[in-house]
Amino acid sequence: MTDFVRTAEENFRDLSDFPYEPHYHGWQDLRVHYVDEGPRDGPVMLLLHGMPTWAYLYRDMIPPLVAAGYRCIAPDHMGFGRSDKPTDIHWYTIARHTEILTSLIAALDLQRVTLVCQDWGGPIGLAQAAMAPERFEHLVILNTWLHHTGYEYSEAIRNWNRNWHEGGLFHRPEPDLGVLLISSAGLVDRETMVAAFVHGKRPELTGKADDIYRGFSAPYRGLPDAGYNGFRRFPLSIPVSSPDNGNAAAQALHYRTLLAWDKGAHFIWGCTDDVFTEEWGRTWAGRMRARFDGIPDAGHFLQSSHGARVAELILEGRNG
């Protein structure tokens, strides 16, 4: 039996901007949560989050995509959101995350899929398109990467990795990751963010900042420290120093495979992101002969800060 913790359902009941009923997929002795909204016979938008978010990241995108006739499936990776949270940090591997998503896609028999992926949702989601292209019609790639020979990791991503190792800012019990999301959106200053991490001081928030903070912190409120290990493992899996991390060899295979992708592909990029830079996004799009749309004032979490605009661009790309 897998040792895991499960977030209390009451944590999600006060999210006024995320009213969706939960759905669950069984994987071995655990359950994976996913949002399933829109017509069951409609083409699918498979919306994949990364670190340290969950399906809530797509709160502003699901309504316009459903209104356009799409069935929106937004899973939570194991260890995130409403999904179960194994307590052994070594349980979490990118290969396992990939396998779990494959099992969900197969169980739901998803067809005519448009993949929308960002951050770690990129390597995990693009693996599905590379290995089962018959299920996918279109790729929408947001601020992410696939490891491959010659890829240059930015100083920002190296710093992110360092900060999860001993002595780093985030290497501490029960890190309050929700404050990172409101900081990245410019809704609190850096001093408030650091105080939340270093001193465990919950920020005093109102209005939109409070709504977003409650949304992104809902998955871990009340959990023991071991319930945070899914968060911890994603940064430590970045293959910045060792190709043994992050399922790097498989990522490289998927990268090479997708360079020959002959269906629709569309890159939408937050151009102020210093982790996955605009230059990298444009380079990758060029190699795939794909449309590139940059959002000049958006950062890494563009679905959260510019969700309506991202959805608009996705629909333009699908209808163009």
Side-chain angles (χ1 to χ4, degrees):
M1 297 289 289
T2 306
D3 290 329
F4 69 92
V5 294
R6 181 173 290 171
T7 304
E9 285 296 319
E10 64 192 37
N11 282 26
F12 304 96
R13 290 183 184 140
D14 63 346
L15 304 184
S16 59
D17 53 354
F18 200 74
Y20 306 115
E21 289 295 318
H23 299 265
Y24 294 99
H25 165 64
W27 187 81
Q28 298 189 12
D29 57 345
L30 302 167
R31 69 180 194 181
V32 177
H33 166 259
Y34 62 98
V35 171
D36 190 346
E37 295 290 321
R40 294 300 179 269
D41 60 349
V44 173
M45 287 277 175
L46 180 59
L47 309 171
L48 300 183
H49 73 86
M51 165 70 186
T53 60
W54 60 289
Y56 178 79
L57 182 67
Y58 289 96
R59 65 194 177 280
D60 295 329
M61 294 176 57
I62 292 171
L65 295 176
V66 168
Y70 286 92
R71 178 185 180 186
C72 289
I73 306 289
D76 295 335
H77 300 304
M78 206 74 82
F80 294 77
R82 279 179 145 123
S83 292
D84 287 340
K85 298 163 181 68
T87 54
D88 179 2
I89 193 170
H90 300 293
W91 185 95
Y92 296 96
T93 67
I94 303 310
R96 182 168 276 159
H97 282 302
T98 302
E99 178 186 350
I100 294 168
L101 180 59
T102 300
S103 75
L104 174 64
I105 292 170
L108 298 178
D109 192 24
L110 300 183
Q111 307 287 341
R112 296 186 295 155
V113 177
T114 294
L115 173 69
V116 182
C117 60
Q118 180 255 353
D119 196 86
W120 271 112
I124 295 166
L126 291 168
Q128 314 300 322
M131 304 314 291
E134 68 279 2
R135 291 187 181 272
F136 292 83
E137 291 183 344
H138 197 75
L139 307 178
V140 180
I141 299 172
L142 321 172
N143 294 66
T144 186
W145 92 115
L146 283 171
H147 180 85
H148 59 276
T149 300
Y151 181 75
E152 293 289 337
Y153 286 92
S154 64
E155 183 55 32
I157 203 168
R158 292 177 182 276
N159 189 52
W160 174 247
N161 173 270
R162 282 193 294 268
N163 270 314
W164 286 91
H165 289 272
E166 187 171 357
L169 177 62
F170 306 124
H171 187 271
R172 60 191 65 252
E174 302 175 19
D176 193 354
L177 290 160
V179 76
L180 179 67
L181 276 297
I182 55 173
S183 175
S184 71
L187 298 174
V188 297
D189 55 32
R190 178 171 174 78
E191 289 72 20
T192 300
M193 181 190 75
V194 171
F197 282 110
V198 175
H199 305 297
K201 182 179 179 182
R202 176 172 174 157
E204 296 182 8
L205 304 167
T206 59
K208 182 179 180 181
D210 186 54
D211 290 342
I212 295 173
Y213 175 78
R214 285 189 296 107
F216 283 118
S217 64
Y220 58 81
R221 287 200 302 269
L223 289 186
D225 184 62
Y228 291 71
N229 280 340
F231 293 105
R232 293 184 172 106
R233 197 63 204 173
F234 262 160
L236 297 176
S237 296
I238 301 167
V240 290
S241 57
S242 171
D244 295 332
N245 276 348
N247 211 22
Q251 285 197 52
L253 171 62
H254 303 150
Y255 177 78
R256 293 193 302 270
T257 300
L258 291 174
L259 289 181
W261 183 258
D262 60 359
K263 304 180 188 180
H266 185 184
F267 287 70
I268 303 175
W269 220 259
C271 294
T272 68
D273 187 6
D274 59 355
V275 173
F276 300 118
T277 64
E278 178 184 359
E279 180 183 10
W280 157 241
R282 289 187 181 276
T283 296
W284 193 6
R287 290 172 182 172
M288 289 185 65
R289 302 164 302 282
R291 170 175 169 171
F292 181 94
D293 283 300
I295 302 179
D297 60 342
H300 184 69
F301 300 103
L302 63 168
Q303 308 100 303
S304 188
S305 62
H306 293 69
R309 178 58 179 154
V310 174
E312 181 181 35
L313 288 168
I314 290 172
L315 294 174
E316 283 181 13
R318 292 300 283 122
N319 297 330

